[in-house]
Amino acid sequence: MVLERFPSVLMALRNLERNRLRSALAALGIVIGVLAIATLGIFGNVLALSATQELGGIGNQVIVSPAQDTGAETLSPRDVTAVERIAEGRGEAVPLKASGAVVSGNSARTFAQLYGLSDPSALFEAGNGDLPRRHRQGAIVGNETAAALDLSVGSAVEIEGNRYRVVAVLAENDAISPIQPDSAVVLPEEEFVQEGYNQVVVQADSGEDARFVARTVRERLNVRENRVSVFELGSVLDRIREFFALLNGFLIALGAVSLVVAGVAIFNVMLMSTRERRGEIGVLRAVGVQREDVLRTLVVESVLLGVLGGLVGAVLSGLAALALGYFTRVEFDVVLDPSNGTYLVLAFGFGVLVALVSGLYPAWRAANEHPVDALRD
């Protein structure tokens, strides 16, 4: 038998079995502590992952607009060209014109945000119809505006006295961005009276590219004066991640309190156990059992309690995470994210560590007691 090669483990198991109820209650404390830490950690991480997933790729978007101090409403051609050069190779820079107007159609009216750009497919996605690669005529309507005016592809809309045929309806967009296509109407650039562009939207290839573009635009365009305002959506995402990291740490700290309480229970169990077996330990020492062997056996007892409780707690926490994905709208790919396993390992390891630390003093005290004093009682 494998356990016969480890007499300390075998003896520890026998000692724990003699006091099953007491051992079970001590292990139950570890179970609750590990379950609390792992479950709260996983739930907090799932919240963070879900929020990041819902926000999509907003961390890849940079919006450059005229600085408020300048009083300008449009970017200069030089600034637009500079942003396009900076974004080259790291994403696509899309200059656009923007304004607001009342849109009429099918005997209904609503206010809409107007956007003018040459390539609508660079920023938007069609729900019905096709987005032209070069927007020269017609109107592209957001899904909310289309619903409010009962519009579809082929319908007509009127904007400031001009009639346009709807060539496409934009798909619903849940992304967090100053560019809101749902309540918008996209027109050709030539339909705007203004000459310059209000904004340049950079769709970067990655979050790192977005940070590079934002930093470089600030360094080059705002050297002598604050000419442009740079809004990096990745900074919003970073703040959200920091918030969830803080929340997760707080939840784990709450779970750790219950595990520390479990450690106190194990300390009490081991102290009582060694007290009751004082005479037995004295006999073992008297017949030649070394102090290190006694210490090892007692420490193994506490570690076994931690391992048993930690395993049960980790399994229950894993089942709770699966239940979260099954009974809620949380996606299973978020629940099964490898980062959640870190909390299971962390909670299990912490549970074993607490059990070990809790059993060290009682074990050391029993192992170092003189055999004569132990046998006298």
Side-chain angles (χ1 to χ4, degrees):
M1 188 176 179
V2 178
L3 290 179
E4 292 179 353
R5 300 180 181 179
F6 304 96
S8 297
V9 176
L10 188 61
M11 186 174 295
L13 286 172
R14 290 173 179 172
N15 292 334
L16 292 175
E17 191 173 351
R18 286 192 302 180
N19 296 285
R20 293 182 181 179
L21 180 59
R22 185 186 298 170
S23 301
L25 291 176
L28 180 61
I30 296 294
V31 171
I32 296 173
V34 170
L35 177 63
I37 289 180
T39 302
L40 292 175
I42 290 175
F43 282 15
N45 192 51
V46 166
L47 283 175
L49 293 174
S50 298
T52 303
Q53 189 179 70
E54 288 293 329
L55 293 174
I58 69 168
N60 299 350
Q61 195 174 80
V62 178
I63 297 178
V64 183
S65 56
Q68 292 183 352
D69 297 339
T70 63
E73 295 184 358
T74 60
L75 295 166
S76 68
R78 184 181 64 174
D79 290 340
V80 173
T81 302
V83 175
E84 290 175 335
R85 289 177 177 174
I86 293 171
E88 188 174 355
R90 295 182 178 271
E92 183 175 5
V94 184
L96 60 83
K97 300 177 180 181
S99 66
V102 175
V103 181
S104 304
N106 291 330
S107 302
R109 305 175 69 189
T110 186
F111 184 84
Q113 181 74 37
L114 302 184
Y115 293 120
L117 66 163
S118 59
D119 183 10
S121 61
L123 289 181
F124 307 117
E125 181 180 350
N128 293 310
D130 298 319
L131 296 181
R133 292 293 300 176
R134 179 69 180 175
H135 195 192
R136 296 184 180 276
Q137 60 182 1
I140 302 170
V141 183
N143 69 310
E144 290 183 4
T145 302
L149 302 179
D150 192 22
L151 301 175
S152 60
V153 176
S155 300
V157 293
E158 183 175 336
I159 304 173
E160 296 181 343
N162 299 316
R163 291 180 65 84
Y164 303 93
R165 186 177 67 88
V166 177
V167 296
V169 176
L170 297 176
E172 185 177 357
N173 188 290
D174 296 327
I176 299 177
S177 171
I179 309 300
Q180 292 295 327
D182 291 341
S183 58
V185 175
V186 183
L187 299 174
E189 291 183 6
E190 294 76 14
E191 297 298 321
F192 286 74
V193 178
Q194 65 190 56
E195 294 294 332
Y197 295 101
N198 301 94
Q199 297 174 331
V200 177
V201 180
V202 179
Q203 290 288 115
D205 297 332
S206 65
E208 183 178 352
D209 289 328
R211 286 188 288 272
F212 172 84
V213 170
R215 182 176 64 253
T216 307
V217 168
R218 292 189 184 100
E219 291 174 352
R220 295 185 183 179
L221 274 63
N222 292 338
V223 176
R224 297 181 179 178
E225 59 178 340
N226 193 28
R227 289 158 44 192
V228 298
S229 173
V230 181
F231 182 44
E232 182 186 357
L233 292 176
S235 60
V236 177
L237 198 57
D238 290 339
R239 297 296 179 273
I240 293 174
R241 288 179 180 143
E242 290 175 3
F243 167 76
F244 278 111
L246 182 63
L247 175 63
N248 221 18
F250 177 72
L251 293 176
I252 292 175
L254 287 179
V257 172
S258 63
L259 196 51
V260 171
V261 173
V264 174
I266 290 180
F267 177 85
N268 185 50
V269 167
M270 294 301 299
L271 201 61
M272 293 176 61
S273 178
T274 54
R275 182 66 182 176
E276 292 174 357
R277 292 153 50 196
R278 190 180 181 195
E280 176 186 335
I281 295 172
V283 172
L284 291 175
R285 294 293 313 282
V287 298
V289 176
Q290 298 297 316
R291 179 184 306 168
E292 292 77 11
D293 295 328
V294 175
L295 178 64
R296 186 183 302 112
T297 300
L298 296 176
V299 168
V300 168
E301 287 184 29
S302 60
V303 171
L304 286 176
L305 289 174
V307 170
L308 178 61
L311 285 175
V312 175
V315 170
L316 292 177
S317 181
L319 293 176
L322 293 176
L324 179 68
Y326 184 80
F327 292 106
T328 66
R329 298 177 60 184
V330 176
E331 299 292 337
F332 264 106
D333 59 338
V334 175
V335 175
L336 299 178
D337 190 274
S339 61
N340 291 325
T342 304
Y343 295 97
L344 294 176
V345 176
L346 175 66
F348 173 79
F350 191 42
V352 174
L353 178 63
V354 167
L356 172 62
V357 172
S358 301
L360 278 177
Y361 173 73
W364 176 85
R365 179 178 176 180
N368 285 276
E369 189 170 15
H370 199 279
V372 176
D373 295 334
L375 290 172
R376 184 178 301 158
D377 294 342

